[in-house]
Amino acid sequence: MSQGNTRVTPQVVNAEACPIREVLDRVVGKWSVPILIAAGHGPIRFTELERGIEGISRRMLTLTLRNLERDGLVTRTVYPTVPPKVEYALTPVARELHATLTNLTQWAERHRVSIAESRARYDEIHDPEQIPA
Amino acid sequence: MSQGNTRVTPQVVNAEACPIREVLDRVVGKWSVPILIAAGHGPIRFTELERGIEGISRRMLTLTLRNLERDGLVTRTVYPTVPPKVEYALTPVARELHATLTNLTQWAERHRVSIAESRARYDEIHDPEQIPA
DNA sequence: CTGCATCCTGCCGGATACTG
DNA sequence: CAGTATCCGGCAGGATGCAG
């Protein structure tokens, strides 16, 4: 970076310069999307997230929630009852993102078959070795 | 996964079950978004991508392009000239995604300041150690 | 110009166990 | 219920060098 290359083809916007990248890396993290979507339906409890997001570990759920809270994307509300109860909810900023993320998952759902096919075709051509029976 | 937990709170759609996750992981990869956006303006050459996407290594550019090609999201056209010339372009499937990704980056740009502030505030509260002068 | 092969490192993220 | 702490393997991804 900053190797004196200020001139960039207008075609190739450097829209991905450092600051944006950092933000995107956050939202784009492996578990951020599922969490943001699950929390989009309203306040949700820790365990509900854990059970709702197939495959997530308690550790990553906690870590990702902390990061999202840190970035002001979710709020964390502790009810000092016993047993403890904690609810997570999207902030307005994150709620703006919800539609976009929904689009993303819908796109994935629409094309997941054709993508899988494309992948299989590619592998067969470029790596005609034994496909695991 | 598949640990016998079929019942899920309706609130927490398991929209993130395995197949979708795989697709999302691909698109959501660190360098996929910049590449898809840069290529969205039309066919683009390897070096243009390399110079346009600040911070990407030649290795990751190649790898990510291969994966995108494998999934049928970009096409690779080789012009047998000398020196060689290769152009990458989005497939229709990927072009559907372009608007969504643009939304994503615009959102990031809109909120990157407030997110940075939120982060700083959080750190100051939860980790009042020396902030790098 | 457009790549692939290799080496090497960090950190992502799973498994497990312990607390308030 | 809602976490935190620790250990540890795998792989994402940078650096470098070579090739068609």
Side-chain angles (χ1 to χ4, degrees):
Chain A
M1 311 202 188
S2 73
Q3 53 174 351
N5 172 21
T6 311
R7 293 180 38 74
V8 176
T9 314
Q11 196 180 15
V12 187
V13 285
N14 66 342
E16 307 314 325
C18 309
I20 312 290
R21 276 240 51 83
E22 282 179 35
V23 178
L24 278 188
D25 283 350
R26 180 82 35 191
V27 170
V28 126
K30 184 174 185 184
W31 298 111
S32 302
V33 177
I35 289 180
L36 289 176
I37 287 185
H41 304 278
I44 188 171
R45 302 184 56 174
F46 186 87
T47 308
E48 292 179 317
L49 283 170
E50 189 177 13
R51 291 171 41 97
I53 300 173
E54 209 90 5
I56 197 173
S57 65
R58 183 175 269 120
R59 180 183 133 89
M60 286 319 292
L61 179 54
T62 302
L63 284 181
T64 309
L65 282 172
R66 284 292 169 282
N67 278 328
L68 292 175
E69 186 194 358
R70 190 166 95 107
D71 289 356
L73 297 184
V74 305
T75 59
R76 179 171 177 270
T77 310
V78 182
Y79 297 91
T81 61
V82 44
K85 172 182 174 182
V86 179
E87 277 189 348
Y88 293 91
L90 299 190
T91 64
V93 171
R95 209 165 279 119
E96 280 184 42
L97 197 57
H98 189 252
T100 301
L101 295 185
T102 302
N103 282 342
L104 196 59
T105 56
Q106 286 175 349
W107 175 89
E109 204 147 357
R110 267 205 309 281
H111 297 291
R112 74 159 194 268
V113 174
S114 66
I115 287 179
E117 289 174 351
S118 173
R119 205 178 295 187
R121 225 177 303 121
Y122 184 96
D123 291 345
E124 208 167 330
I125 293 174
H126 291 255
D127 216 346
E129 60 190 68
Q130 75 300 337
I131 281 71
Chain B
M1 314 197 187
S2 73
Q3 52 175 353
N5 173 21
T6 311
R7 294 179 37 73
V8 177
T9 314
Q11 195 181 16
V12 186
V13 284
N14 66 342
E16 306 316 324
C18 309
I20 312 291
R21 275 240 52 83
E22 282 178 37
V23 178
L24 278 188
D25 283 350
R26 179 83 35 193
V27 170
V28 126
K30 184 174 185 184
W31 298 111
S32 302
V33 177
I35 290 181
L36 289 176
I37 288 184
H41 304 277
I44 189 171
R45 301 185 55 175
F46 186 86
T47 308
E48 291 180 316
L49 283 169
E50 189 177 11
R51 292 171 40 96
I53 301 174
E54 208 90 5
I56 196 171
S57 64
R58 184 178 262 107
R59 180 184 132 90
M60 286 320 292
L61 179 54
T62 303
L63 284 181
T64 309
L65 282 172
R66 284 294 168 279
N67 278 327
L68 292 175
E69 187 193 359
R70 190 167 95 107
D71 288 356
L73 297 184
V74 306
T75 59
R76 178 171 178 270
T77 311
V78 182
Y79 298 91
T81 61
V82 43
K85 172 183 174 183
V86 180
E87 277 188 348
Y88 293 90
L90 299 189
T91 65
V93 170
R95 209 166 280 119
E96 281 183 41
L97 197 57
H98 189 252
T100 301
L101 295 185
T102 302
N103 283 340
L104 196 60
T105 56
Q106 286 176 348
W107 175 90
E109 204 147 357
R110 266 205 310 281
H111 298 290
R112 74 160 193 269
V113 174
S114 66
I115 287 179
E117 290 173 350
S118 174
R119 208 178 294 187
R121 225 176 305 122
Y122 184 97
D123 291 345
E124 209 167 328
I125 294 175
H126 291 256
D127 216 346
E129 60 191 69
Q130 76 301 337
I131 281 73

